[in-house]
Every structure is written in structure tokens, then in C-alpha cells.
Amino acid sequence: MVWWLWVLLGIGLLVVEMLTPGGLFALFFGVGALATAIASGAGASPAWQWVLFTAISLVLLATLRGKLQARLSGRTQPPVDSLVGEEAVLLEDLPAGGVGKAELRGVPWSARLSAGGPLPAGRRCRVERVDGLTLWLRAD
């Protein structure tokens, strides 16, 4: 292939990457096509051009995709551990050693007491730890 066809393919793949939601696949093939355009302009045979395109694209995909996705993803919600120290309201009576319901951030959770006796519904408590979907609470 002539070099300018590789440039068109590379630019087309980069545009496809921008227009599609976040897979980060076409990006690396676009970069591979642009790198192959340089080799094509330098006089590489068509067979070597395809080998270079495939090798460059797959090596970039394998080495950079995970790192780039991790960097671009960012966290949209804080991790569940950030619930520790927040205030929850009991939705029902919480017996000592038993399980009940508490509301935190407008969402009902299973709740257990980390220490102390039974607590009545409506009582405000602090979250000591989160174990799966269960809040471990202590009375304020």
C-alpha cells in the first residue's frame, strides 16, 4: 500500500475511537497504521507493511491499553470504605447481637451493632466498618 493510504486508515481509526464509547481498541490500530505509513514511505514492501502494522498495533494494545484505561477511568463514586465515620439512622429497632436496617445516604442497609445494647428505631449511629453490604454501627 502507498503511504498516504496508511495515513488515511490511521486517521480513520482514530476518528472511530473518538466516536465510539471507551473500548480503546481502534486507537492502537490507528497509531499502528500511522507508524506503518512511515515505513511505507521509507520503501518497505507490502508484506512487511502488514507485518509491521499488526506487530505495532498488538504490542501497543497489549502494553498500553490497561494503563491508559486505568488512568482515564477515574472513580466516579467514592469507595465503600469512605462510609466509615458517617452517620446512619436506624430504620427499625436493632437488638444486641442481631441484624436490623439502617439508612445511610438515602439507602437502606443491613446493620449490626459493634458493641452495646439494643437501640431504638430513629437513633443516629456512626459507621465503624463496612462488611459487604452490612454496616457495623456504634451508638453516638
Side-chain angles (χ1 to χ4, degrees):
M1 259 170 49
V2 291
W3 67 271
W4 59 269
L5 288 175
W6 284 111
V7 170
L8 288 177
L9 178 65
I11 291 172
L13 287 167
L14 293 176
V15 168
V16 166
E17 183 65 52
M18 288 189 293
L19 296 177
T20 57
L24 289 180
F25 287 105
L27 169 71
F28 301 108
F29 288 95
V31 171
L34 293 174
T36 304
I38 296 169
S40 175
S45 70
W48 272 109
Q49 291 175 30
W50 285 104
V51 169
L52 281 173
F53 170 69
T54 304
I56 291 170
S57 300
L58 292 178
V59 166
L60 289 174
L61 181 69
T63 58
L64 298 178
R65 182 173 181 263
K67 294 175 187 174
L68 192 55
Q69 272 190 323
R71 178 167 258 207
L72 292 176
S73 69
R75 286 192 170 261
T76 56
Q77 295 180 340
V80 75
D81 292 336
S82 72
L83 299 176
V84 173
E86 291 204 24
E87 194 173 79
V89 178
L90 294 176
L91 296 174
E92 56 189 44
D93 291 341
L94 186 58
V99 179
K101 292 284 184 189
E103 182 178 318
L104 177 65
R105 294 184 181 171
V107 178
W109 293 72
S110 294
R112 301 192 100 179
L113 282 177
S114 57
L119 296 175
R123 177 82 187 257
R124 296 185 181 277
C125 302
R126 289 276 171 209
V127 177
E128 278 199 343
R129 67 183 169 110
V130 180
D131 186 23
L133 296 176
T134 303
L135 301 176
W136 286 81
L137 305 173
R138 64 177 159 79
D140 274 342

